[in-house]
């Protein structure tokens, strides 16, 4: 009997121990990603909570050691990180956390900072005595950050500590704080608080002489999904906002064309932006029309780099990756150099110098007699001046035309979840001088109620937009500058999107 009680007590104690251990493990902060930031002198750590940390310098300042306490190493792989200053970055488990060892080519300076949304910790590096100078091209307002204490702090409070009243009067009854993240960039945090509620928006204006813009695909292909900051880092962008509408798979909903290659279409005539050969940005309504002729049979294009529907023809190019990933209920024709070079049933490899014509149902029956060697012609028409554009990014509706608000949601047949009500919003436009302007408005949270399309148009016009259009909104709305998320996405974290509009140096 006594033995049985001892066994029961032992098992109960073991159960408590296991439960405590599991609780402790569950409570640990997860380190899920390590990468270079956009500035290339920044190392970014993706976390689910901000941990306590400690930084020390060794080897005469040529080695920086960052200890993250209470952190569980959950990184599948760490990319090779090396530049003229950073020789190597080693991330390893240690008792009670993770140790990051950064080897430098010369004695260095460092500064650790944190970001609340999304949760990140990052370390900026520079040659010894040159840290402040290195940050001027990235985020000069951080040059006077408080001394590192090994504890996380709220970056949003820094400006309030430096100035008693940093706010100034702004258009439409608002207040604003302006920064210059880099030469030719002006970043404005805008707040309007009236009977409608509080609205917080973020405005970035960029010189077209120093910077250029273009759409960029998530993970470099369709379909793909990636956070806006991830896309920004992937292309080493100065700034980025979410752009095209997209399906849950990452396929783009809206005309999108990059370097002469179509990667997204739509059945509607919708507003888009296009860069013309002279470098100017054109705004207007456009549509897509395409046909494919194999041998002597011609069929209309149902989509490009999209899911193949019933009785439809879809073109798959290298923007879709290496394979079509289609099922067996169709036929596929590889086209290279104006000829059909192969015929397959499904999941065909997409050639780098050609495309795959995938057909189903009635379209498949129409091309049933086509064999290798037959001629092939693909015609895609966007209308003028779209046909000569360097790139096209469709979304919509139009917001500003000729410097005044001009919302075309009704004529473009947008559904009510986009056209009406308040929501987080993203917009892109150009000023009269040709400079670029990005606006992201927060919504669905206490700090910001969001705005209507008309209010977004008014804000754009007030800040000098000559022409502007709406991008995807809601939880996708996001502005990233220098690898940092500047707004507060309504999901509470970054949403993965299919495409972004990125700003890069000329």
């Amino acid at each position: 009997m006594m033995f049985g009680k001892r066994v029961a007590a032992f098992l109960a104690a073991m159960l408590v121990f296991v439960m405590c251990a599991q609780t402790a493990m569950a409570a640990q902060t997860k380190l899920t990603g390590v990468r270079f930031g956009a500035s290339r002198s920044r190392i970014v750590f993706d976390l689910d909570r901000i941990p306590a940390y400690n930084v020390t310098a060794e080897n005469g300042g040529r080695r920086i050691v960052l200890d993250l306490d209470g952190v569980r190493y959950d990184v599948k792989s760490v990319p090779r990180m090396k530049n003229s200053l950073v020789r190597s970055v080693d991330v390893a488990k240690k008792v009670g956390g993770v140790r990051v060892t950064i080897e430098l080519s010369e004695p260095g300076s460092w500064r650790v900072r944190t970001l609340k949304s999304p949760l990140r910790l990052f370390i900026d590096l520079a040659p010894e005595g040159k840290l402040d100078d290195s940050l001027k091209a990235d985020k000069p307002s951080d040059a006077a950050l408080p001394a590192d204490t090994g504890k996380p702090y709220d970056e949003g409070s820094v400006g309030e500590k430096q100035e008693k009243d940093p706010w100034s009067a702004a258009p439409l009854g608002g207040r604003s704080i302006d920064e210059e993240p880099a030469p030719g960039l002006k970043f404005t945090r805008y707040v309007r608080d009236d009977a409608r509620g509080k609205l917080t928006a973020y405005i970035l204006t960029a010189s077209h002489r120093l910077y250029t813009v273009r759409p960029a695909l998530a993970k470099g292909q369709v379909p793909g999904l990636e956070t806006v900051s991830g896309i920004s880092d992937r292309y080493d962008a100065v700034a980025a906002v979410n752009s095209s509408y997209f399906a849950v798979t990452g396929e783009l909903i809206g005309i999108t064309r990059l370097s002469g290659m179509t990667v997204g279409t739509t059945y509607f005539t919708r507003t888009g932006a296009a860069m013309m050969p002279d470098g100017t940005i054109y705004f207007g309504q456009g549509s897509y029309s395409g046909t494919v002729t194999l041998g002597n049979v011609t069929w209309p294009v149902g989509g490009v780099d999209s899911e193949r529907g019933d009785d439809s023809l879809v073109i798959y190019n290298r923007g879709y990756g290496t394979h079509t990933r289609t099922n067996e209920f169709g036929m596929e024709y590889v086209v290279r150099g104006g000829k059909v070079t192969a015929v397959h049933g499904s999941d065909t490899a997409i050639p780098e110098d050609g495309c795959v014509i995938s057909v189903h149902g009635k379209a498949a029956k129409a091309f049933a007699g086509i064999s290798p060697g037959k001629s092939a012609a693909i015609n895609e028409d966007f209308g003028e001046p779209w046909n000569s554009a360097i790139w096209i990014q469709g979304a919509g509706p139009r917001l500003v035309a000729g410097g005044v608000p001009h919302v075309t949601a009704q004529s473009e047949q947008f559904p009510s979840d986009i056209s009406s009500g308040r929501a987080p919003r993203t917009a892109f436009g150009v000023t009269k001088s040709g400079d670029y302007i990005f606006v992201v408005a927060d919504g669905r949270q206490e700090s910001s109620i969001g705005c209507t399309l008309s209010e977004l148009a008014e804000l754009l016009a007030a800040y000098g937009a000559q022409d502007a259009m709406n991008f995807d909104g809601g939880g996708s709305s996001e502005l990233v500058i220098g690898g940092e998320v500047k707004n507060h996405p309504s999901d509470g974290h970054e949403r993965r999107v299919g495409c972004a509009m990125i700003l890069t140096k000329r």
Side-chain angles (χ1 to χ4, degrees), residues 65-127:
V65 179
L66 170 64
D67 286 310
L68 304 174
D69 297 328
V71 172
R72 190 171 78 198
Y73 187 81
D74 198 23
V75 180
K76 292 182 179 179
S77 64
V78 177
R80 181 173 177 266
M81 289 181 280
K82 183 178 181 180
N83 59 22
S84 59
L85 176 64
V86 179
R87 295 177 58 187
S88 66
V89 178
D90 179 67
V91 184
K93 298 178 183 178
K94 69 163 193 171
V95 177
V98 170
R99 170 163 289 182
V100 182
T101 304
I102 306 166
E103 300 287 351
L104 305 179
S105 60
E106 60 181 289
S109 302
W110 54 268
R111 177 175 289 128
V112 174
R113 292 183 287 171
T114 61
L115 186 66
K116 281 189 172 181
S117 181
L119 287 169
R120 285 180 183 157
L121 180 146
F122 45 92
I123 182 168
D124 286 314
L125 302 157

Side-chain angles (χ1 to χ4, degrees), residues 13-28:
M14 287 298 296
L15 178 61
V16 171
F17 172 79
V18 170
M19 291 177 65
C20 290
Q22 290 176 337
T23 301
M25 289 181 64
Q28 273 193 320

Side-chain angles (χ1 to χ4, degrees), residues 328-348:
E328 67 274 21
F329 304 111
M331 291 297 294
E332 298 188 324
Y333 302 87
V334 179
V335 173
R336 299 173 62 191
K339 291 186 178 295
V340 175
T341 60
V343 180
H344 296 280
S346 62
D347 194 23
T348 301

Side-chain angles (χ1 to χ4, degrees), residues 87-266:
R87 295 177 58 187
S88 66
V89 178
D90 179 67
V91 184
K93 298 178 183 178
K94 69 163 193 171
V95 177
V98 170
R99 170 163 289 182
V100 182
T101 304
I102 306 166
E103 300 287 351
L104 305 179
S105 60
E106 60 181 289
S109 302
W110 54 268
R111 177 175 289 128
V112 174
R113 292 183 287 171
T114 61
L115 186 66
K116 281 189 172 181
S117 181
L119 287 169
R120 285 180 183 157
L121 180 146
F122 45 92
I123 182 168
D124 286 314
L125 302 157
E128 190 172 41
K130 296 183 179 181
L131 182 61
D132 291 343
D133 289 339
S134 73
L135 290 175
K136 286 181 181 178
D138 185 31
K139 194 179 179 186
S141 62
D142 287 335
L145 285 172
D148 177 54
T149 60
K151 298 179 181 179
Y153 57 84
D154 182 0
E155 287 188 282
S157 65
V158 173
E160 296 174 2
K161 293 176 182 178
Q162 292 175 323
E163 302 180 59
K164 290 184 178 180
D165 186 12
W167 296 89
S168 59
L172 306 175
R175 300 175 300 135
S176 66
I177 295 178
D178 295 333
E179 299 177 15
E180 187 182 340
L185 294 183
K186 181 182 178 182
F187 172 60
T188 300
R189 183 185 177 200
Y190 174 93
V191 174
R192 184 212 68 208
D193 199 350
D194 56 23
R196 291 168 290 186
K198 185 177 182 180
L199 172 70
T200 303
Y202 307 83
I203 304 155
L204 178 67
T205 306
S207 167
H208 72 284
R209 292 182 173 86
L210 299 179
Y211 302 94
T212 187
V213 291
R214 66 179 175 89
L217 299 177
K219 296 186 176 179
Q221 68 176 48
V222 177
L225 290 172
E226 192 171 19
T227 63
V228 177
S229 65
I231 297 174
S232 177
D233 288 350
R234 178 180 295 277
Y235 295 95
D236 199 20
V238 174
V241 296
N242 64 295
S243 56
S244 178
Y245 300 103
F246 61 96
V248 293
T249 59
E251 293 174 0
L252 304 184
I253 304 172
I255 298 173
T256 307
R257 190 167 170 82
L258 307 172
S259 302
M261 182 171 62
T262 304
V263 292
T265 55
T266 180

Side-chain angles (χ1 to χ4, degrees), residues 221 317-318 320-325 347-351:
Q221 68 176 48
N317 53 44
R318 289 293 287 189
Y320 202 73
T322 59
H323 286 74
T324 61
R325 301 188 290 278
D347 194 23
T348 301
I350 304 172

